[in-house]
């Protein structure tokens, strides 16, 4: 099995590492911050991140340094940084590990990012169910205040920063950056129409950067070891490592940090230990529930932003869900639609109305009451949602449908023709009630 | 156009102002883009996705309601891609929509119907079970039918952005999102009906007119609302002779399409079953319906008999607040020129004359600013804490200034600012709220004058002499005394004075707390001095606005008794000053006035009841012209049924000074007649016909009779003369407690849903506030051991008026130790309140007093 140098998971894999401030400092923690505060201008920090090629690990893969550079330099009022720790994408559990086991890595990243964009206030917006994570981050923040690494005049510089933990209340949509901002403001978590973008009109309508936990956790390492070092890892356009959360009937499900650009085959067969005995791989969700399905034919696609996109899906949140040949693809899609329907915020028409409509059709098909014309209708409805919504949720909810219809159409047809689910033939009655 | 932007829309080159939204620019290109959530009054939300367009160089379709034009933009709304997307949105919106158009009150004026007609295929593809919500009600007047909702949130946004009541929100999420009050609490709002009006579909409809009409069956008549002096343009929608509902049009009128509870739900009195429909003679307590012919003949001959026996000055006349300019004019003409008495007065005497005479004395005009100046001001100084109740639309202008334009509001009143109730209450959005002791506005004004006089520097407007005089006149008034009386410290007054004088454009708004309470005229004069010293009057964008509850408040500025004879007939009538309202009642009591003609006013209610009733018993003749059998009408010998404002033509002049057309929406109820027609008939019977062929003829003559508006030079010299006059300031009556324990300060005033007696005939408004209760702060109630709805006993420390009992309602708005009694149920209370008249304007003051409360002993 190929082995790679880990960046983000390195500290926590050392025996006895607790993630405390003293442990983190022993590994060279907060050296990057010191280096920055002692003599790197904010613009230079942004430039360093740009040159590293670091891209957002939350889902969209937007170049981090470029995002930072959008913040107006001469803005008179406050600016904000929000760390997106909402990690709500089904099949994704990497940020949780980073938060619980090495919170200071992320906090150092936040501090450096705030210095770079000129923010004096940062929020960590953490998923409501992450009770432990919230407690750990708050503990780490308290340590920092005590060590005078937060607050006024950090490390004797003129840089001041306060970090607050803000817990979500359980809505998936609050992982969407503008809904996240609304939620911090105390409003209903609903996405905003863009433009204007958060870079100019973000939290409280002030310039704001929203970055993912993993993205920010990379920052201290790039400062310490230089952008060229980071850019050399991975592929030309997808630099650095990524933590993939592998789940499903594999022998070793879990988080794996690897350089961007290895194949799905290597990830599943080597790192995750291959399929469990007797199971055959049927489908892969390559990047969280919002990504289009892959099949066993995609095993040699490389796990970098460009390759996955070229193959018709997205690297997304890094959640790799593996499914075996006993899995009903209609049931899997229905499962996801139950989720998306439950989580649609209801703000804009296509998603609000469309998710319910799609769900009802899928329930019927899975329940053995499908009609032949349903498939064309699923496609038409999906196309009427795709690209028509305020946020990316609309695209996300139709991705499983369109991709399973593309790759596993025969399974849908079998449901309709046989009037029951081929995998769960006794389900029909249970599903009849909407 | 200041900054034109050129773009191409559907192939057409257009030019629009920078910052224009594409959806508005489309109109310039002659394209109407379908939409639901967009509304020009609101911030865009871009949630319905119906107004999408294709923009070159943008891969995705864009919502035109949220996209601002850019130079060189190439936009198309007529492509197949756009059409398919619109069809998609329509399919989504119609999928779950019920097929209840035939019984939906919105049917016929529904945006969903209209756009469905144009944008959706005739065959639907929805083959699932429809989502069903149970019908709910937002209180007694608003029906919520969520099955019809398109989730555009216009109602929520209107409530938040325009009214500021924040009563609505969206609940739950996804496909079961619904509109509701927070956690199913009853709506805590102004019941302005704005959510109903702004709903593009039939999700929110009015229960007041439920199933009464189809929109295309109604006749629409634009007219002016009669509930206060705001001067709102509204549309009366009628079928035959019944008013079905009222509505307003976006952006139109001084109200720009906003209405209040009274305007939207208050039309019920017009077709009320108790409306008087035939003239009535009352003899020995017996009522007898008679013909108009008979009644007019009797009225004319009785007037002539009394004039013959006692002389013309034995006849008096009072005209009420709801008569038009034409009618008021004609009434004066009838009384002065034909009957020959100077003793005529109008409802302006109840308080408006204080503002009118004082502002005229200072500035030679009362029209010192317009609503646009409120919206454009950077500071608003308000002595009208109850503006939302008395003049709701004017309050919306203040909210707009504060919310949208970041103006600062300084509110000076006796209310609380506790935020847990009634969010749109104006003091809540004040950047500085001075909670004064009830009735001490005048003291605060003097305090501000004292500070500004001490700081003012001479300028072309403010002479050194004037400043010196103001200083001297306020010398003897100490800040300690001011604070003792009003509760406001010198430092706070200093801050207010600094901000008011320092603002670039400040407006000063005065409400009934000043104009209708003790010392009102002097306080209004002092208001003029305050604005002059601060340099916030007679200046672009600044000024003083006196609020009034009379729809024709600006049309009868001096009241009847001071009015000169009309132009061209100076010698025909009486030009001497006649008796004013209370003087007339006094003269009746003394037996000097033998006959009284009261038109649309109810002195028995408005003035001390017993005194007026006793006086009326001494009359030989009382003619009352009314909509209903009021207390005054019941005391009359002849009762003439009057037509309401919905049944006549004319003009109302608003508090702004805007003369606006009142239009006839329905024929007069029964045989009732407009006031002007009755006056004409009486004049004819007295052999002195007016000779007017139409209301318009009266209007023309009245306009000609008005003195010309002062020129700028005249105004300047008038102000100079006002400034040069001697000043003497005396601290007004100290309204502080006089040492008797547990005395409550009680104020009579208007509520959101009721203005005077007329509103109590409107079923819609009665549903909002069904009970006639006295308002008290919850803590006071608790201290007294009484709960909401319980009856308490109110007694009066001075006099022997006995006590009365009333149920209580709780309100956090009230300050501790204060009580509020709605005007429409104040007649009994007023009997025990002190009564006085203004020494200069003779305005009656009887709305304030101190009372004692006690628990009613319950017999077991």
């Amino acid at each position: 099995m190929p082995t790679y140098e880990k960046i983000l998971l390195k500290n926590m894999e050392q025996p006895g590492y607790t993630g405390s401030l003293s442990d983190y400092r022993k590994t060279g923690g907060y050296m990057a911050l010191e280096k920055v505060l002692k003599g790197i201008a904010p613009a230079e920090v942004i430039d360093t991140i740009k040159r590293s090629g670091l891209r957002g690990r939350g889902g969209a893969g937007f170049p981090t340094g470029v995002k930072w550079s959008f913040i107006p330099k001469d803005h008179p009022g406050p600016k904000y940084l929000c760390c997106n720790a909402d990690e709500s994408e089904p099949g994704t559990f990497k940020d949780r590990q980073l938060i619980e086991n090495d919170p200071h890595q992320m906090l150092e990243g936040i501090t450096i990012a705030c210095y770079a964009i000129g923010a004096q206030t940062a929020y960590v917006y953490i998923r409501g169910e992450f009770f432990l994570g919230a407690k750990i981050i708050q503990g780490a923040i308290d340590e920092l205040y005590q060590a005078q690494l937060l607050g006024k005049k950090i490390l004797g510089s003129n840089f001041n920063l306060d970090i607050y933990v803000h817990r979500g209340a359980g809505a998936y949509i609050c992982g969407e950056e503008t809904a996240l901002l609304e939620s911090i403001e105390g409003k209903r978590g609903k996405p905003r129409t863009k433009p204007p973008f958060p870079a100019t009109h973000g939290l409280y309508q002030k310039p704001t950067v929203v970055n993912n936990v993993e993205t920010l956790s990379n920052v201290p390492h790039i400062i310490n070891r230089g952008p060229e070092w980071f850019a050399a890892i991975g592929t030309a356009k997808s630099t650095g490592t990524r933590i993939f959360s592998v789940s499903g009937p594999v022998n070793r499900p879990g988080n794996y940090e690897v350089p961007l650009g290895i194949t799905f085959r290597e990830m599943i067969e080597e790192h995750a230990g291959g399929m469990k005995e007797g199971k055959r791989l049927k489908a892969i969700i390559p990047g969280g529930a919002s990504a289009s399905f892959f099949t066993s034919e995609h095993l040699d696609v490389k796990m970098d932003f460009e390759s996955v996109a070229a193959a018709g899906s997205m690297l997304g949140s890094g959640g790799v869900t593996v499914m075996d040949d006993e899995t009903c693809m209609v049931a899997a899609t229905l499962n996801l639609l139950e989720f998306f329907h439950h989580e649609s915020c209801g703000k804009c028409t296509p998603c609000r109305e469309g998710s319910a409509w799609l769900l009802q059709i899928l329930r019927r098909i899975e329940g053995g009451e499908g009609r032949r014309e349903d498939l064309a209708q699923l496609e038409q409805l999906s196309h009427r949602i795709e690209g028509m919504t305020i946020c990316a949720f609309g695209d996300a909810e139709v991705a499983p449908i369109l991709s399973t219809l593309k790759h596993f159409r025969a399974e849908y047809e079998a449901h309709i023709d046989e009037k029951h689910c081929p995998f769960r033939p006794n389900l029909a009655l249970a599903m009849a009630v909407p | 156009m200041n900054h034109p932007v050129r773009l191409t829309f559907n192939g057409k080159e257009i030019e629009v102002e920078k910052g224009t939204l594409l959806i508005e620019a489309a109109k310039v290109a002659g394209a109407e883009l379908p939409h639901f959530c967009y509304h020009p009054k609101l911030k865009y939300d871009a949630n319905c996705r119906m107004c999408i367009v294709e923009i070159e160089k943008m891969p995705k379709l864009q919502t035109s309601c949220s996209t601002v034009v850019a130079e060189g933009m190439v936009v198309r709304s007529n492509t197949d891609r756009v059409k398919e997307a619109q069809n998609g949105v329509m399919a989504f919106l119609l999928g779950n929509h019920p097929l209840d158009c035939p019984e939906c009150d919105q049917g016929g004026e529904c945006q969903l119907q209209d756009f469905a007609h144009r944008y959706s295929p005739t065959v639907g593809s929805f083959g699932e079970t429809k989502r069903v919500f149970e019908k709910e009600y937002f209180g007694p007047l608003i029906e919520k039918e969520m099955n019809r909702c398109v989730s555009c949130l216009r109602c929520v946004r209107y409530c938040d952005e325009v009214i500021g009541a924040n009563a609505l929100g969206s609940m739950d999420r996804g496909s079961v999102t619904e509109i509701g009050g927070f956690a199913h609490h009853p709506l805590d709002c102004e019941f302005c009906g704005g959510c109903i009006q702004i709903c593009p579909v039939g999700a929110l409809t009015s229960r007041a007119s439920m199933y009464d009409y189809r929109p295309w069956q109604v006749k629409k008549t634009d007219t002016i609302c009669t509930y206060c002096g705001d001067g709102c343009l509204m549309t009366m929608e009628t079928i035959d002779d019944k008013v079905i509902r009222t509505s307003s049009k976006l952006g139109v009128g001084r109200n720009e399409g906003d209405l209040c509870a009274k305007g939207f739900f208050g039309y019920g009195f017009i077709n009320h079953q108790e409306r008087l429909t035939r003239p009535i003679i009352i003899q020995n307590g017996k009522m007898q319906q008679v013909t108009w012919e008979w009644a007019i003949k009797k009225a004319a001959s009785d007037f002539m008999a009394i004039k013959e026996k006692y002389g013309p000055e034995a006849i008096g006349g009072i005209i009420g607040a709801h008569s038009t300019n034409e009618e008021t004019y004609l009434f004066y003409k009838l009384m002065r020129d034909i009957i020959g008495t100077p003793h005529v007065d109008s409802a302006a005497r109840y308080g408006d004359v204080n503002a009118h005479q004082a502002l005229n004395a200072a500035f030679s005009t009362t029209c010192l600013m317009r609503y646009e100046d409120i919206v454009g001001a950077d500071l608003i100084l308000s002595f009208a804490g109850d503006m939302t109740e008395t003049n709701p639309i004017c309050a919306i202008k203040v909210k707009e200034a504060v919310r949208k334009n970041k103006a600062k509001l300084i509110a000076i009143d006796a209310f609380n600012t506790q935020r847990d109730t009634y969010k749109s209450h104006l003091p809540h959005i004040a950047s500085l709220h001075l909670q004064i002791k009830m009735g001490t506005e005048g003291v605060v004004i003097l305090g501000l004058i004292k500070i500004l006089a001490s700081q003012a520097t001479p300028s072309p407007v403010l002479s050194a002499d004037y400043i010196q005089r103001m200083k001297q006149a306020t010398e003897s008034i100490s800040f300690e005394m001011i604070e003792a009386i009003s509760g406001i410290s010198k430092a706070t007054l200093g801050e207010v004075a600094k901000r008011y004088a320092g603002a670039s454009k400040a407006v000063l708004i005065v409400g009934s707390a000043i104009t209708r309470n003790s010392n009102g005229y002097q306080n209004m004069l002092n208001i003029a001095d305050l604005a002059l010293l601060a340099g916030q009057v007679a200046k672009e964008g600044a000024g003083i606005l006196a609020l009034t509850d009379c729809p024709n408040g600006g049309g009868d500025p001096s009241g009847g008794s001071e009015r000169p004879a009309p132009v061209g007939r100076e010698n025909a009538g009486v030009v001497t000053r006649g008796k004013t309202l209370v003087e007339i009642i006094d003269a009746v009591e003394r037996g000097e006035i033998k006959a009284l003609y009261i038109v649309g006013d109810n002195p028995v209610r408005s003035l001390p009841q017993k005194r007026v009733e006793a006086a009326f018993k001494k009359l030989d003749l009382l003619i009352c012209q009314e909509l209903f059998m009021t207390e005054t009408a019941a005391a009359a010998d002849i009762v003439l049924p009057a037509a309401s404002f919905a049944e006549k033509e004319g003009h109302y002049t608003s508090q702004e000074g805007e003369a606006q057309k009142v239009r006839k929406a329905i024929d007069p109820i029964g045989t009732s007649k407009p006031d002007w027609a009755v006056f004409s008939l009486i004049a004819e019977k007295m052999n002195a016909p007016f000779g007017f062929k139409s209301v318009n003829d009266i209007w023309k003559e009245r306009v000609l009779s008005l003195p010309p508006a002062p020129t700028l030079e005249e105004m300047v010299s008038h102000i100079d003369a006002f400034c040069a006059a001697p000043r003497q300031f005396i601290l007004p009556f100290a309204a502080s407690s006089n040492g008797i324990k547990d005395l409550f300060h009680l104020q009579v005033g208007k509520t959101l849903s009721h203005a005077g007696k007329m509103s109590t005939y409107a079923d819609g408004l009665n549903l909002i506030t069904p009970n006639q209760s006295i308002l008290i702060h919850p803590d006071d109630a608790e201290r007294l051991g009484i709960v909401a709805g319980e009856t308490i006993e109110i007694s009066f420390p001075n006099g022997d008026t006995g006590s009365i009992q009333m149920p209580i309602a709780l309100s956090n708005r009230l300050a501790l130790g204060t009580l509020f009694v709605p005007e429409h149920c104040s007649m009994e209370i007023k009997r025990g309140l002190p009564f006085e008249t203004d020494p200069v304007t003779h305005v009656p003051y009887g709305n304030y007093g101190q009372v004692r409360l006690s628990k009613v002993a319950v017999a077991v």
Side-chain angles (χ1 to χ4, degrees), chain B residues 278 697 735 811:
Chain B
R278 301 275 305 273
D697 288 346
S811 171

Side-chain angles (χ1 to χ4, degrees), chain B residues 354-383:
Chain B
N354 277 336
H356 290 136
Q357 291 191 13
L359 294 179
N360 268 320
F363 307 108
S364 72
T365 177
T366 58
C367 303
L368 294 166
M369 56 175 278
R370 291 170 62 78
Y371 293 156
E372 285 78 0
D373 298 324
I374 301 179
V375 177
D378 58 352
L379 185 129
I380 298 157
L381 180 58
S382 160
F383 286 94

Side-chain angles (χ1 to χ4, degrees), chain B residues 702-757:
Chain B
R702 181 201 173 262
V703 171
L704 285 176
S705 79
L706 293 175
T711 63
L712 194 62
E713 291 73 28
E714 281 167 347
M715 262 184 83
V716 170
S717 66
H718 191 101
I719 294 172
D720 286 347
F722 173 72
C723 291
R727 289 291 189 281
Q728 192 188 4
F729 294 128
I730 300 161
L731 272 185
F733 166 72
S736 60
S737 166
N738 57 6
I740 307 174
K741 247 187 139 185
D742 267 350
L743 275 188
F744 280 83
H745 295 270
L746 182 149
Q747 177 76 49
V748 173
K750 289 183 172 47
T751 65
L752 261 179
S753 47
H754 283 300
K757 182 71 180 165

Side-chain angles (χ1 to χ4, degrees), chain A residues 170-172 188 190 193-196 341-357 360-361 364 371 374 377 380-385 387-392 395 434, chain B residues 44-50 52 60-63 66 84-89 91-93 95-96 121 125-131 149-153 169-177:
Chain A
Y172 169 72
R188 260 175 88 92
K190 289 197 287 192
T193 303
K194 293 188 270 192
H341 171 253
H342 181 67
E343 295 294 349
S344 168
C345 80
K347 180 169 179 176
C348 63
T349 308
C351 175
R352 179 184 68 242
E353 303 294 329
S355 61
W357 197 339
Q360 289 181 77
I361 296 175
R364 271 199 296 103
R371 306 186 273 260
D374 282 345
Q377 175 131 46
Q380 188 192 37
L381 291 175
S382 298
H383 289 309
R384 283 177 162 179
I385 297 171
M388 281 292 289
T389 51
I390 291 175
C391 72
D395 298 349
Chain B
Y44 66 79
D45 204 44
N47 65 46
C48 77
R49 318 307 282 176
M50 192 61 193
I52 36 178
K60 278 187 173 183
L61 296 175
Q62 300 292 319
T63 43
S66 65
E84 158 55 21
Q86 285 167 336
N87 284 343
V89 174
F92 284 133
L93 290 175
N96 279 299
S125 54
F126 188 78
E128 313 306 317
T129 312
K130 282 190 182 183
R131 170 185 63 216
C149 180
V150 293
S151 286
C152 66
L153 303 188
S170 51
M171 303 189 304
D172 222 316
R173 65 184 182 208
S175 61
V176 288
T177 300

Side-chain angles (χ1 to χ4, degrees), chain B residues 217-223 235-246 267-272 275 627 642-649 662-670 672-674:
Chain B
Q217 294 170 330
V218 298
K219 188 187 97 184
K220 297 188 178 188
T221 311
D222 285 351
T223 190
T235 306
M236 285 256 154
E237 304 193 12
T238 55
I239 295 179
D240 300 330
D241 280 339
K242 191 168 178 356
V243 179
I244 299 295
R245 60 171 183 174
T246 49
Y267 53 84
F269 74 92
I270 298 166
N271 291 98
H272 196 278
R275 275 285 299 274
L627 299 180
S644 79
F645 80 114
E647 299 143 48
K648 61 192 182 189
E649 302 279 326
V662 176
R663 292 184 183 85
K664 185 178 152 189
I666 56 171
D667 281 337
I669 298 291
S672 67
K673 290 181 193 298

Side-chain angles (χ1 to χ4, degrees), chain B residues 41 109 205 238 283 326 330 358 469 518 537 543-544 614 646 727 827:
Chain B
K41 246 188 197 316
E109 52 182 11
T205 46
T238 55
Q283 261 174 328
E326 290 86 342
L330 211 59
R469 214 155 347 96
S518 190
V537 70
I544 303 170
R727 289 291 189 281
M827 188 168 76

